[in-house]
Amino acid sequence: MSGATDRPAGLPRRLGPYVIEGYIGQGAASSMLRGRLAQGGASFAIKVLRLAASDHDQVEELRQRFARESLAVQRLSHRGIVRFVGAGEDDGVAWVAMELASGHDLAR
């Protein structure tokens, strides 16, 4: 993935041990960010899910779905799949960090 742009407004400057460096892309329910380990400097892709919905039941459903997806990703191991490196939740933002793959988006 290339060409991370400026950090989107409203996101923390840091998630867990990662300093947010830029924006990679947007999905239906999440965004992909580029983050760097504060200690060590390695870069990773960080998938984030905003948990700011006003309906508590909707927030809890999204949190549980994201947690299940995170657990599933942790169990995967294949040379064609990016490696899972961590997950957490900070200030209403659930996140999953994974290996940053080089290449381009599918729109090309």
Side-chain angles (χ1 to χ4, degrees):
M1 292 178 192
S2 62
T5 62
D6 293 336
R7 191 178 66 81
L11 283 177
R13 296 192 181 283
R14 200 176 168 125
L15 292 169
Y18 305 96
V19 175
I20 304 305
E21 294 183 316
Y23 178 79
I24 296 172
Q26 179 76 32
S30 60
S31 298
M32 290 298 290
L33 307 175
R34 181 184 191 98
R36 175 182 45 79
L37 275 175
Q39 302 294 321
S43 291
F44 295 91
I46 302 172
K47 183 176 183 177
V48 297
L49 173 68
R50 299 292 277 173
L51 298 174
S54 59
D55 181 351
H56 175 73
D57 291 338
Q58 182 182 18
V59 169
E60 192 54 37
E61 180 184 338
L62 287 171
R63 179 181 280 121
Q64 289 175 9
R65 193 176 335 155
F66 198 76
R68 282 192 305 270
E69 178 183 330
S70 176
L71 287 172
V73 170
Q74 289 178 49
R75 292 185 215 128
L76 297 174
S77 177
H78 186 275
R79 62 186 173 91
I81 300 172
V82 294
R83 182 178 50 91
F84 168 88
V85 294
E89 185 177 322
D90 295 307
D91 297 324
V93 179
W95 57 270
V96 174
M98 60 198 84
E99 178 179 22
L100 181 64
S102 61
H104 55 79
D105 62 36
L106 295 177
R108 289 189 193 177

